[in-house]
């Protein structure tokens, strides 16, 4: 596979760069806002992680409940029922875009139509309601007549109602079978390291990337004096107190990230010095306990963060592995070789997503979850499908 290209950004670059937040981070942020309990938040986090590149969850819920049981137990949640998983899934499916977290294209179309129906009924738009109900009937059955534009069969399914069929067909182009369908012409997203790993006398050290952290402080002197003269003292004092809390929060955030970086870099010293060595087991809850932090704080701190290591740019979260995670010896070598072989043989115009890789591995007798494929791919610097397509010039 092609090696990813590293981009080092200067302060001037950063002034003009707007990075699109990963859709999973957007969802997780929304989930934290509406979640009613720590358990629901954790289940939603697991489900968001299971979303494939198109926004589907293709693994049966019962299988997810079984696979995540050890992790739930580690987090202090035992005896989680399938109905609790279902409730969390139902919550996630209420998020935009309609069709998110369904099992496939047909279910996504049905979810979008249900959304349209609800709004049409609320607004009293009877024509749109009739069109949505008609299209729902067409989608609920065999999709072949719809895909083949077989008007005769479609009309028969709608009891010969030409007006409803015309409305249904007019509504169809507004739907998408893929909730998270992305435009491949989007500009490349640049990634920079939040932490830098330096090797000094054979000892890895973690340093904050100061180029991402311009100095921020309170204004002083004439500007502040003018503000105090223009506004009541109580108002100025309140805003100053809020600003100081904000600065304190930024300082604490940097300190937490650095402490985590130092801990993980020490723990994964062997791998940092020699990438053929396996990563040592370390969970976020173990790291939290060592640093006297909450597990949720660690999870938030490492989300979307990257380390520049001697082996290239690495997603921070990939350096946390469970005790039963094999890497990269024996089983890990077999899995990595199989992933690389599939990528070498893939169609460059349509690279395989992580879920597609996991499905293909299953046909070879290698069973693993999509998140395991993602972990191996990121750990060994293999670009995601979208980037592999661009690297091939398509």
């Amino acid at each position: 596979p092609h090696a990813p290209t590293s981009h080092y950004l200067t302060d001037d670059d950063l002034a003009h760069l707007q990075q699109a937040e990963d859709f999973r981070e957007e969802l997780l942020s929304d989930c934290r806002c509406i979640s009613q309990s720590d358990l629901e938040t954790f289940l939603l986090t697991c489900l968001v992680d299971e979303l494939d590149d198109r926004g589907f969850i293709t693994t049966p819920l019962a299988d997810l409940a079984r696979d995540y049981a050890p992790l739930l137990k580690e987090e202090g949640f035992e005896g989680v029922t399938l109905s609790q998983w279902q409730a969390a899934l139902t919550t996630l499916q209420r998020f935009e875009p309609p069709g998110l977290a369904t099992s496939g294209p047909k279910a996504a179309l049905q979810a979008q139509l249900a959304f349209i129906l609800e709004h049409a009924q609320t607004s009293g738009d009877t024509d749109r309601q009739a069109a949505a109900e008609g299209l729902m009937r067409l989608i609920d059955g065999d999709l072949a007549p719809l895909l083949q534009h077989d008007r005769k069969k479609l009309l028969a399914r709608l009891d010969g109602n030409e007006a409803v069929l015309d409305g249904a067909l007019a509504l169809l182009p507004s739907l998408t079978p893929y909730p998270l369908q992305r435009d491949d012409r989007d500009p490349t997203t640049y990634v920079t390291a939040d932490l830098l790993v330096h090797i000094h006398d054979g000892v890895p050290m973690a340093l904050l990337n100061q180029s991402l952290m311009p100095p921020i402080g309170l204004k002083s002197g004439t500007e502040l004096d003018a503000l105090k003269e223009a506004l009541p003292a109580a108002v100025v004092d309140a805003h100053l107190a809020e600003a100081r809390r904000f600065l304190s929060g930024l300082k604490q955030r940097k300190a937490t990230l650095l402490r985590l970086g130092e801990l993980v870099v020490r723990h994964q010293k062997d791998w940092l010095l020699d990438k053929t060595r396996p990563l040592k087991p370390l969970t976020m809850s173990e790291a939290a306990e060592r640093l006297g932090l909450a597990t949720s704080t660690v999870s938030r701190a490492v989300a979307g963060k990257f380390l520049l290591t001697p082996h290239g740019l690495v997603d921070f979260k990939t350096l946390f592995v469970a005790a039963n995670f094999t890497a990269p010896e024996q089983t890990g070598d077999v899995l990595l070789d199989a992933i690389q072989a599939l990528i070498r043989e893939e169609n460059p115009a349509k690279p395989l997503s992580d879920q597609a890789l996991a499905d293909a591995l299953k046909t070879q007798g290698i069973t693993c979850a999509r998140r395991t494929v993602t972990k191996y791919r990121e750990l060994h610097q293999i670009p995601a499908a979208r980037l592999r397509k661009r690297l091939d010039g398509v």
Side-chain angles (χ1 to χ4, degrees):
H2 298 274
T5 304
S6 297
H7 302 274
Y8 184 79
L9 301 182
T10 65
D11 289 341
D12 290 338
D13 295 324
L14 289 171
H16 302 287
L17 179 64
Q18 291 184 340
Q19 293 184 344
E21 188 179 16
D22 181 83
F23 76 91
R24 287 189 175 87
E25 287 305 311
E26 295 175 6
L27 285 173
L28 288 174
S29 178
D30 292 340
C31 289
R32 296 185 191 107
C33 292
I34 60 91
S35 179
Q36 300 296 314
S37 67
D38 290 342
L39 173 59
E40 185 181 30
T41 299
F42 194 82
L43 293 179
L44 286 170
T45 301
C46 296
L47 291 171
V48 168
D49 187 53
E50 287 298 322
L51 291 170
D52 65 17
D53 294 338
R54 295 297 191 183
F56 298 133
I57 295 181
T58 56
T59 305
L61 204 56
D63 292 348
L64 291 180
R66 183 194 64 235
D67 293 344
Y68 277 100
L71 184 57
L72 283 163
K73 183 177 180 180
E74 177 186 315
E75 295 295 326
F77 304 117
E78 295 192 59
V80 179
T81 64
L82 191 58
S83 62
Q84 288 173 305
W85 275 98
Q86 183 60 60
L89 179 60
T90 301
T91 297
L92 183 59
Q93 289 173 342
R94 295 194 186 104
F95 284 85
E96 296 281 354
L100 183 71
T102 51
S103 59
K106 185 173 182 178
L109 292 173
Q110 291 169 329
Q112 290 168 58
L113 281 172
F115 180 80
I116 292 172
L117 263 174
E118 180 181 349
H119 282 264
Q121 291 168 348
T122 301
S123 63
D125 189 339
T126 55
D127 289 341
R128 190 170 178 81
Q129 180 179 339
E133 290 173 344
L135 188 51
M136 183 73 85
R137 289 174 63 184
L138 297 179
I139 289 176
D140 283 344
D142 180 15
L143 291 180
L146 198 59
L147 297 174
Q148 296 165 1
H149 306 286
D150 190 331
R151 188 176 179 88
K152 183 177 179 180
K153 289 184 179 179
L154 295 175
L155 194 58
R157 194 176 292 176
L158 296 178
D159 303 323
N161 194 321
E162 294 272 2
V164 172
L165 178 58
D166 290 340
L169 294 179
L171 183 60
L172 183 60
S174 67
L175 308 182
T176 173
Y178 306 111
L180 292 177
Q181 190 168 23
R182 301 281 170 140
D183 188 344
D184 288 334
R185 295 170 296 177
D186 287 347
T188 300
T189 298
Y190 290 81
V191 175
T192 54
D194 302 273
L195 290 168
L196 310 175
V197 178
H198 285 238
I199 308 297
H200 182 69
D201 293 336
V203 179
M205 301 174 60
L207 302 172
L208 290 172
N209 185 356
Q210 296 296 342
S211 69
L212 294 181
M213 303 174 183
I216 301 176
L218 293 174
K219 287 186 175 182
S220 58
T222 56
E223 291 183 73
L224 186 57
D225 291 338
L227 186 63
K228 289 179 177 179
E229 291 179 2
L231 296 172
V235 173
V236 175
D237 290 343
H239 284 298
L240 284 174
E242 184 177 354
R244 291 189 181 101
R245 285 194 297 270
F246 175 75
L247 292 175
S248 177
L250 285 180
K251 183 178 180 181
Q252 183 62 38
R253 185 177 180 181
K254 292 180 186 178
T256 299
L257 181 61
L258 182 59
R259 290 178 66 201
L260 277 167
E262 292 172 338
L263 171 65
V264 172
V265 164
R266 286 197 305 269
H267 191 84
Q268 305 297 3
K269 171 184 175 182
D270 292 344
W271 179 81
L272 289 167
L273 295 177
D274 180 0
K275 67 177 180 180
T276 64
R277 300 288 298 275
L279 289 171
K280 294 181 179 179
L282 176 68
T283 65
M284 290 188 187
S285 58
E286 290 171 343
E289 184 176 356
R290 293 189 194 181
L291 296 177
L293 301 171
T295 303
S296 59
T297 299
V298 174
S299 178
R300 287 193 299 270
V302 303
K305 301 297 189 299
F306 290 83
L307 286 80
L308 185 59
T309 75
H311 315 315
L313 205 59
V314 175
D315 191 333
F316 201 161
K317 66 177 182 291
T318 62
L319 299 181
F320 293 92
V321 295
N324 61 353
F325 180 76
T326 307
E329 300 175 352
Q330 299 177 357
T331 303
D333 284 337
V334 172
L335 179 56
L336 178 61
D337 290 345
I339 292 173
Q340 290 176 326
L342 288 169
I343 291 176
R344 283 195 298 270
E345 297 169 3
E346 70 185 3
N347 181 353
K350 296 181 179 179
L352 298 170
S353 66
D354 290 347
Q355 183 60 55
L357 288 170
D359 294 340
L361 290 169
K362 191 174 295 185
T363 66
Q364 300 178 11
I366 302 175
T367 301
C368 66
R370 178 200 60 78
R371 60 186 178 277
T372 304
V373 172
T374 302
K375 184 180 287 288
Y376 268 88
R377 180 178 56 71
E378 292 177 344
L379 185 62
H380 293 277
Q381 304 299 295
I382 301 173
R386 175 174 56 84
L387 296 178
R388 296 203 301 276
K389 182 175 181 180
R390 290 177 182 152
L391 288 169
D392 277 305
V394 179

